[in-house]
Amino acid sequence: MNTSKLTAALILLASATASAQATADEIDDGISGIKVATFDYGAEVRFFDAKPEFILDCQNISADWIHADKDFVKVKLNREIFSLMGTGLEWNVGLNAVGGNFSVLPSVGFKLYARIRPRLDLYLQFDGLTLGGRAHVTDFESGLRYCPRRDFSISAGWRDLNFHLRHGGAFHLRGLFTGVRYEF
């Protein structure tokens, strides 16, 4: 009698495990896969402090251009440290340039993102570098990203971008941003 109960329990456990795995795969392919970097290319258009901003991504490399009285350009390399079910941490290194002569400063930073609801992510990003009184660059951004579809998202948040080179360019923007992003 005990062996039949044990056999039934093992069969039930095996079928429940298979069913849970099938459901987990569907979730990974569906909602949870929205934040996972499965797309090779992405394009985002934002309005940051009423200035147009364009961001292009190609795998782990991104280029950010803000068109203002002096243009700001950032090219950075992103690497993921960990990611689990829409929550993770990335680090980056980048080159920041401003103005017509494009004074250039390097930067290092991180991005922390968390899934707070299905299809809704909260993120915090900071990168910068200080070279004493000679130069500094800081870029702080926090925001929300809503993903109504797997390849499309809408974002809103706050950003403070400060670039200063003693014998070069200066650039400072601070304020709210809104944007749309498409990944392909």
Side-chain angles (χ1 to χ4, degrees):
M1 183 87 170
N2 286 338
T3 57
S4 62
K5 288 182 182 178
L6 180 61
T7 305
L10 288 175
I11 290 171
L12 182 61
L13 180 63
S15 64
T17 303
S19 174
Q21 182 60 42
T23 304
D25 290 341
E26 290 173 7
I27 290 172
D28 284 344
D29 291 341
I31 294 171
S32 293
I34 291 171
K35 180 61 186 117
V36 177
T38 57
F39 299 98
D40 290 336
Y41 306 100
E44 186 170 359
V45 176
R46 300 197 301 193
F47 288 95
F48 169 38
D49 195 30
K51 312 282 190 287
E53 177 180 13
F54 304 97
I55 301 171
L56 296 174
D57 295 323
C58 178
Q59 293 178 343
N60 293 331
I61 299 172
S62 67
D64 183 355
W65 174 53
I66 300 172
H67 181 64
D69 53 340
K70 291 183 181 180
D71 290 345
F72 176 82
V73 176
K74 175 186 284 193
V75 177
K76 66 181 179 178
L77 174 65
N78 306 303
R79 298 300 287 172
E80 190 172 76
I81 296 173
F82 79 88
S83 178
L84 179 64
M85 295 179 64
T87 300
L89 179 66
E90 297 175 356
W91 68 273
N92 66 64
V93 294
L95 291 175
N96 304 273
V98 71
N101 62 356
F102 284 106
S103 305
V104 177
L105 284 174
S107 65
V108 295
F110 69 91
K111 178 179 182 179
L112 176 64
Y113 54 91
R115 169 104 358 101
I116 56 176
R117 304 272 303 158
R119 303 183 184 270
L120 184 63
D121 292 341
L122 172 69
Y123 67 93
L124 174 70
Q125 178 175 312
F126 176 79
D127 58 287
L129 184 69
T130 300
L131 301 173
R134 294 181 171 184
H136 70 270
V137 60
T138 57
D139 188 359
F140 173 79
E141 181 177 324
S142 64
L144 291 170
R145 178 165 293 170
Y146 174 66
C147 304
R149 292 186 34 178
R150 185 175 171 92
D151 56 355
F152 177 76
S153 63
I154 302 166
S155 61
W158 187 81
R159 186 174 182 185
D160 185 354
L161 174 61
N162 191 355
F163 179 102
H164 178 75
L165 188 61
R166 186 187 323 165
H167 300 294
F171 187 87
H172 189 210
L173 281 179
R174 178 185 331 189
L176 298 173
F177 68 86
T178 58
V180 294
R181 177 177 184 80
Y182 183 74
E183 296 180 347
F184 48 96

